[in-house]
């Protein structure tokens, strides 16, 4: 049971963060859930601000660059909250896409379901990037066909892999159960 604020615009997001920075009001953690939705709110905000019908109508990449500026302003507020002792948790979905490896062949990997410049900025800013999923075990049938089975466990990965991005600056084990207690004890 947590306090929730349902935001519908980018201005709402900024206002909530700024209200918290003026006085945390007893809160220890701010969770922004879900980044993809917030990204679209930001795009709508930028379009309204500059009178454009959509983020791509600015010309090659310019709308996305203006949106990144808005995200940087949010990061300034989040940094203030973090300096004041608040935990900041950003939740985003992943998608599978082709990774062009300059040292080898292309392959599929999970990545944040965000514009690539925003995803890169948020991953760089974050102290910890976790890749969370339902644990799956892959086995072989009698005719050597691969079959996947869910274990029922939810896990979080804390270190980089060819399959996904993850990092941590706290020397966490590479894989943990997806439980807040696992992180809060580290």
């Amino acid at each position: 049971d947590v306090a929730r604020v349902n935001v519908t615009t980018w201005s709402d997001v900024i206002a909530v963060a700024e209200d918290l920075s003026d006085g945390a009001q007893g809160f220890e953690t701010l969770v922004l859930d879900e980044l993809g939705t917030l990204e679209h709110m930001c795009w709508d905000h930028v379009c309204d601000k500059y009178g454009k019908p959509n983020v791509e109508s600015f010309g090659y990449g310019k709308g996305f660059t203006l949106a990144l500026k808005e995200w940087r302003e949010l990061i300034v507020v989040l940094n203030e909250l973090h300096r004041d002792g608040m935990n900041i948790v950003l939740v985003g979905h992943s998608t599978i896409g082709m990774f062009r490896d300059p040292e080898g062949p292309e392959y599929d990997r999970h990545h944040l379901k965000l514009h690539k410049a925003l995803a890169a900025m948020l991953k760089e800013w974050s102290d910890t990037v976790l890749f969370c999923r339902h644990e799956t075990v892959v086995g072989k049938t009698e005719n050597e066909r691969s079959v996947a089975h869910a274990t029922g466990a939810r896990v979080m990965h804390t270190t980089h892999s060819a399959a996904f991005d993850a990092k941590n600056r706290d020397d966490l084990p590479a894989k943990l159960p997806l439980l807040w207690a696992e992180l809060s004890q580290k």
Side-chain angles (χ1 to χ4, degrees), residues 5 15 41 99 112 122 133 137 139 146 177 179:
V5 177
M41 286 180 191
F99 177 71
L112 268 173
L122 293 177
R133 66 180 177 163
V137 177
S146 294
L179 300 169

Side-chain angles (χ1 to χ4, degrees), residues 25 42 44 110 114 116 141 170:
Q25 305 154 4
C42 184
D44 290 345
H110 294 271
L114 299 172
K116 64 182 179 180
T141 63
D170 299 311

Side-chain angles (χ1 to χ4, degrees), residues 101-168:
D101 187 346
E103 296 181 343
E106 297 177 344
Y107 58 91
D108 288 339
R109 80 186 305 265
H110 294 271
H111 58 88
L112 268 173
K113 194 174 179 180
L114 299 172
H115 185 274
K116 64 182 179 180
L118 176 59
M121 183 181 81
L122 293 177
K123 289 185 291 188
E124 182 179 333
W125 174 77
S126 300
D127 290 334
T128 304
V129 175
L130 303 172
F131 180 75
C132 303
R133 66 180 177 163
H134 294 275
E135 190 172 50
T136 304
V137 177
V138 178
K140 297 277 186 181
T141 63
E142 291 176 10
N143 60 1
E144 295 299 310
R145 189 171 153 244
S146 294
V147 177
H149 298 281
T151 67
R154 295 186 310 163
V155 296
M156 54 187 158
H157 298 274
T158 67
T159 57
H160 180 82
S161 160
F164 51 79
D165 284 328
K167 72 175 188 178
N168 78 89

